[in-house]
Every structure is written in C-alpha cells, then in structure tokens.
Amino acid sequence: NAGVTQTPKFRILKIGQSMTLQCAQDMNHNYMYWYRQDPGMGLKLIYYSVGAGITDKGEVPNGYNVSRSTTEDFPLRLELAAPSQTSVYFCASSDRENTEAFFGQGTRLTVV
Amino acid sequence: GQNIDQPTEMTATEGAIVQINCTYQTSGFNGLFWYQQHAGEAPTFLSYNVLDGLEEKGRFSSFLSRSKGYSYLLLKELQMKDSASYLCAVRDSNYQLIWGAGTKLIIKP
C-alpha cells in the first residue's frame, strides 16, 4: 500500500525557474493538502482540496498554484521560484476533515 | 491571532516518563492532534482528542482540557527510538489545522 507518494525528494532550482511537485494518493481520500515546513516553524498550509475539481487557498498561497483534476493527484506548481520558497514541502491526505492526515515523504527544495 | 505553544526541546532518560505540553489559542476548536516526526521524515499520526480527558494508546497517552486550551502528550517507558519531534495541531472553527512548531525530544541512555 503506497499511501501518499511525493516526487521529487530533492530539488535545487535557480531563482526565476518553475517546477511542479507531484503528489498522488491511493487511499481514495477526498481531502488533500500541501504544507511547507521551515526550520523551527510549524507546518504552514499552502493549498488544500476537498475533492476533485475543488481547491482553496491556505495560509501561505502566494507564489504557488494547484490543480485537482482527479481524486488521486494534487500537484503543486511553483512559478518564478524565489529564495523564500526554500523549504521542505509535504503533501498529505485525509478521509474526512476531522480524521488523521497521512503524509508523503516530503520534497526538500532549495532555491539559489 | 491563532497560536499554538510547545516547548522547543526536552531531554529525558531511557525508561523514564516525559510529558510534552501544548497550549493553544484558536478561533474555535474542532479537535487536537499529536504527530511524531523523526528527523528528515514525514509526520506520523499519534493521537486525536476532541473531548476533555485522557486517551491512552499503549505507551502514549494524550490529555485535553478545552476550557484551559491545554493538552499534553505523555510518553512512558521511553525508548531511544522515541527521539523525535512531537507536533501539536488544533483544528479551528473553519476546520483548518493550526500547527505548533514542535517539541524536539532527546532521549539519553
């Protein structure tokens, strides 16, 4: 059972470049989330989705974009990367809004 | 604003008991979660409290007092593998999860 799969695990971007972080889950969960985690800080919600075709902004959405065309996939797009986007990114999914979230292994992104 | 407070770091001895506290101020309350995160890994679920009282799950227990905006995670019979960060998260009135910065627990032999 794969759970939540994120790719890539590591990436170095130059300022101004763009990339897509992939996230897929095989648990048929409706809720999916993208978080970033900076050293010494709590997880910050970037975007979330409550089902295919529905996305909404979280706490820190600027500089990011998402789509949810299927239940399984929830890619995160970074346009015009900036050093402030250097962070560890986690994708997560949950069955309902009040149940535990399952996390992917994370993507460590460095923007130079 | 919304705020979750946890100690930054704690140290305990193998075989002992440790209590990690979490206080919160959020707009509404719809449950509190505890997650464990080993260095360089993803958070994994430990416990969920929505009503006042103690929830016990093996060596781990979690307590909630909604009137005090307070929770703790109790770890018994500490093992070296319990060395990790412990994250407290509260679901607010909009069902958004607000996360604390985490408590790094160091276990010494």
Side-chain angles (χ1 to χ4, degrees):
Chain A
N1 207 2
V4 180
T5 303
Q6 274 184 251
T7 55
K9 285 190 171 57
F10 302 94
R11 184 72 186 267
I12 298 175
L13 275 183
K14 292 185 178 177
I15 294 172
Q17 286 185 322
S18 301
M19 76 164 293
T20 300
L21 281 66
Q22 301 292 344
C23 176
Q25 53 93 6
D26 62 0
M27 297 173 281
N28 203 32
H29 285 169
N30 286 322
Y31 292 77
M32 294 189 75
Y33 316 86
W34 273 106
Y35 290 97
R36 59 177 288 172
Q37 187 176 37
D38 300 316
M41 306 284 285
L43 291 160
K44 301 291 185 187
L45 182 65
I46 304 171
Y47 271 95
Y48 68 100
S49 169
V50 300
I54 306 169
T55 62
D56 213 341
K57 295 178 181 179
E59 191 179 352
V60 291
N62 292 342
Y64 307 94
N65 228 320
V66 293
S67 59
R68 184 96 183 269
S69 55
T70 66
T71 300
E72 295 78 19
D73 299 301
F74 190 42
L76 177 72
R77 178 86 178 158
L78 278 74
E79 304 282 2
L80 299 174
S84 60
Q85 293 178 305
T86 293
S87 189
V88 180
Y89 291 83
F90 286 104
C91 177
S93 73
S94 65
D95 182 28
R96 294 184 300 277
E97 56 196 358
N98 61 343
T99 55
E100 67 181 280
F102 294 83
F103 284 79
Q105 286 305 299
T107 297
R108 194 170 295 271
L109 176 68
T110 303
V111 182
V112 296
Chain B
Q2 309 207 85
N3 200 44
I4 310 278
D5 282 318
Q6 307 178 232
T8 303
E9 187 173 297
M10 298 182 70
T11 302
T13 305
E14 190 177 14
I17 299 172
V18 71
Q19 177 175 311
I20 302 174
N21 295 326
C22 169
T23 57
Y24 63 89
Q25 290 176 301
T26 55
S27 56
F29 178 85
N30 280 300
L32 184 144
F33 293 82
W34 283 97
Y35 281 79
Q36 180 190 59
Q37 186 178 24
H38 285 101
E41 297 184 9
T44 54
F45 171 78
L46 286 177
S47 69
Y48 172 65
N49 295 69
V50 66
L51 299 175
D52 290 351
L54 189 68
E55 294 279 342
E56 296 187 83
K57 197 186 281 188
R59 294 189 299 115
F60 292 10
S61 303
S62 57
F63 171 83
L64 174 67
S65 168
R66 288 172 296 170
S67 63
K68 295 182 179 176
Y70 168 70
S71 173
Y72 68 72
L73 181 69
L74 193 71
L75 290 75
K76 302 175 187 174
E77 300 167 17
L78 285 169
Q79 302 174 9
M80 297 303 292
K81 67 178 182 180
D82 297 330
S83 291
S85 288
Y86 291 85
L87 313 178
C88 174
V90 172
R91 203 173 287 285
D92 68 10
S93 56
N94 294 320
Y95 284 90
Q96 296 303 309
L97 265 183
I98 312 301
W99 294 81
T103 299
K104 182 178 181 181
L105 178 64
I106 299 167
I107 311 294
K108 295 187 174 178

